Amino acid sequence: LVLTAMRSWARVCQTCRYFGSSPIFFDFYKVLGVTRTASETEIREAYKNKAKKLHPDINKAPNAHEQFSKLGQAHEVLSDPEKRRYYDATGIENPQEAEQQAQYRAQQQAFRSAFGGMPKGGPFGGPQGYQPPRKPSPLKAKPSKGKDVTANVKLELQDIVRERLKQVHYRIEEVCEPCNGSGSKDNAPLVNCGSCDGDGFLPVMQGQFVVQWQRCEECDGHGKRVRVFCQPCRGKGMAMREVSVDINIPQGVENGQKFKVPKKGSAGPHGGPRGDLYLQAEVADHEWFIKRGLNIHLVMPIPLILAITGGPYKVITLYGEEAIQVPPGTQYGDVLVLHGKGLQKGDSKGDHYVHFAVQIPSEIDAASIPELQKLLPVSYPDPNTLRALKAKFEPSLK
């Protein structure tokens, strides 16, 4: 009986590299490195990228031809809509493969029957006193943390003056409602895996007689599998969804800065905790304010008469109008600093810089010119004035 089972096992496993291995029915999505929801374009791009790396002319691994053949087989099935639908629904490539699986299961049962009562020691069980490895129990699905999500949030300067709520739109994975996360059509109960008969592990031979166990690739060691995949999630149990969430935007956030929003990412599989949301701020330029770190700069035009005589005036800040006193004799480019009127971040506060731009009238009444010439006689600068102007404007020149 033992020899019959071993011969049958060898006939089924013509594609295996060592005697006694289970026939391998590959997960074509894993072979291409894509998800079950991948589009035709994503599948095509994944195939092209992997084909470049795995081509036998480049890939010098001993099993290079086998890897490249497996990749081509996966692409052939998943790039054909009809073949892909059949594969998603049944887990096998074509009807002929179903017959091969049925034959394999029959031979596998014969192998188990033969080795189920295998003695602990002796010619069929290894050396005297040998203890065969215990068959592991099927794996149980454990809750795991959901995927972290990254999104951009567009902000105006006023959005970061104080902490405020901002509605953010982004996409996350949620538990598929039609199958309630099971991946099975209409949430139908899972069935025993046909490859391992619900055990989750397959017996393999290492050497000639030593029995070991390997995880079943068909069910990933769980012993159960979906009979018909849920179409909305393609058997993943998770589906993409766009959400709108009110997020508290930190005060003084910088353009390009990333900040973490805990537990606002994708749902966790099997009841696990949610992932986190990482937002990247995109702070738009303001119409008239210039932001430099926490400091704010404003070019403020003032009338010529006010620049000459000085006096009270009002400027615009992030917090509204602010009363200032323009010094007499204010020159174009002079700066007035309003301390603590910039942005705030934690305990740090920026300043508000007012850059005065003296407005010269473009048209003057001819009758007023003689009076102005008396009040403002023409004078030529002395060397000290020239040196002072150079020191003032040279840093801004390129």
Side-chain angles (χ1 to χ4, degrees):
L1 179 60
V2 171
L3 293 176
T4 301
M6 293 168 69
R7 291 192 190 100
S8 300
W9 190 272
R11 282 198 301 272
V12 176
C13 299
Q14 293 173 358
T15 61
C16 299
R17 284 200 166 270
Y18 54 89
F19 175 79
S21 294
S22 59
I24 300 174
F25 302 103
F26 297 108
D27 183 337
F28 290 150
Y29 290 100
K30 287 184 180 179
V31 171
L32 285 175
V34 298
T35 64
R36 290 186 173 273
T37 58
S39 65
E40 292 183 11
T41 301
E42 291 172 327
I43 289 173
R44 183 168 60 252
E45 291 301 318
Y47 172 70
K48 287 181 180 178
N49 293 334
K50 285 212 166 189
K52 292 177 183 177
K53 298 177 182 178
L54 298 179
H55 194 280
D57 291 344
I58 300 175
N59 183 13
K60 301 304 180 183
N63 62 339
H65 286 279
E66 181 183 341
Q67 290 179 346
F68 192 70
S69 176
K70 187 198 310 180
L71 182 69
Q73 186 181 5
H75 177 255
E76 179 184 356
V77 172
L78 298 186
S79 62
D80 186 306
E82 289 299 325
K83 290 183 179 180
R84 183 178 181 181
R85 273 194 292 271
Y86 187 87
Y87 177 76
D88 287 342
T90 64
I92 56 180
E93 180 181 353
N94 52 51
Q96 290 72 27
E97 186 181 323
E99 296 179 7
Q100 182 185 4
Q101 286 200 16
Q103 182 188 10
Y104 160 64
R105 285 194 292 271
Q107 303 298 346
Q108 181 193 40
Q109 189 59 44
F111 179 85
R112 286 184 176 173
S113 299
F115 284 90
M118 186 174 64
K120 295 182 178 179
F124 291 104
Q128 188 68 30
Y130 167 75
Q131 179 68 37
R134 179 180 297 179
K135 180 177 68 176
S137 300
L139 302 177
K140 293 183 178 180
K142 296 181 179 180
S144 57
K145 182 184 176 183
K147 295 179 182 178
D148 293 335
V149 178
T150 301
N152 294 336
V153 54
K154 296 183 182 296
L155 302 172
E156 301 293 337
L157 187 59
Q158 290 297 331
D159 292 330
I160 63 173
V161 175
R162 300 180 179 86
E163 286 192 4
R164 63 179 296 179
L165 289 177
K166 181 79 173 179
Q167 193 172 68
V168 181
H169 306 276
Y170 58 101
R171 290 174 61 81
I172 59 174
E173 281 188 337
E174 291 284 15
V175 175
C176 178
E177 293 183 2
C179 69
N180 197 28
S182 69
S184 180
K185 183 178 180 181
D186 299 328
N187 199 20
L190 303 183
V191 297
N192 280 346
C193 173
S195 295
C196 63
D197 284 344
D199 290 338
F201 290 82
L202 294 167
V204 297
M205 295 294 294
Q206 199 172 59
Q208 189 172 4
F209 294 108
V210 179
V211 175
Q212 292 191 359
W213 299 90
Q214 81 172 11
R215 183 183 298 190
C216 175
E217 292 191 5
E218 187 72 13
C219 64
D220 200 26
H222 293 93
K224 299 286 185 180
R225 58 161 293 174
V226 173
R227 184 187 295 276
V228 180
F229 287 124
C230 171
Q231 287 303 313
C233 67
R234 290 186 174 271
K236 285 180 57 181
M238 308 291 287
M240 296 301 297
R241 198 182 95 190
E242 184 164 327
V243 294
S244 299
V245 180
D246 288 331
I247 302 296
N248 194 37
I249 303 299
Q251 187 180 28
V253 66
E254 295 285 346
N255 182 44
Q257 179 182 339
K258 281 188 176 182
F259 55 97
K260 176 181 174 181
V261 186
K263 298 182 179 180
K264 291 296 183 181
S266 294
H270 311 296
R274 281 192 173 274
D276 301 318
L277 169 65
Y278 289 87
L279 285 177
Q280 181 164 327
E282 295 181 0
V283 183
D285 290 336
H286 195 270
E287 291 180 275
W288 50 79
F289 291 130
I290 302 170
K291 179 181 177 297
R292 291 292 182 269
L294 297 179
N295 296 324
I296 297 296
H297 297 260
L298 171 68
V299 179
M300 188 68 185
I302 59 173
L304 175 61
I305 188 62
L306 182 61
I308 296 172
T309 62
Y313 205 55
K314 290 183 179 180
V315 296
I316 306 169
T317 71
L318 294 173
Y319 308 95
E321 289 187 345
E322 185 80 14
I324 63 170
Q325 188 71 25
V326 178
T330 294
Q331 304 294 312
Y332 191 100
D334 284 354
V335 179
L336 178 69
V337 182
L338 303 177
H339 296 288
K341 293 298 181 179
L343 292 168
Q344 182 173 349
K345 188 174 185 180
D347 296 330
S348 301
K349 286 186 177 181
D351 299 324
H352 185 107
Y353 292 80
V354 181
H355 301 259
F356 291 114
V358 180
Q359 290 183 304
I360 308 297
S362 57
E363 295 183 1
I364 300 177
D365 182 17
S368 303
I369 293 178
E371 190 67 25
L372 289 173
Q373 288 174 335
K374 291 179 182 179
L375 293 172
L376 303 171
V378 176
S379 62
Y380 295 95
D382 57 42
N384 290 333
T385 302
L386 292 174
R387 280 193 289 270
L389 289 173
K390 176 189 175 184
K392 180 177 181 179
F393 287 101
E394 187 174 29
S396 63
L397 299 178
K398 293 183 180 180

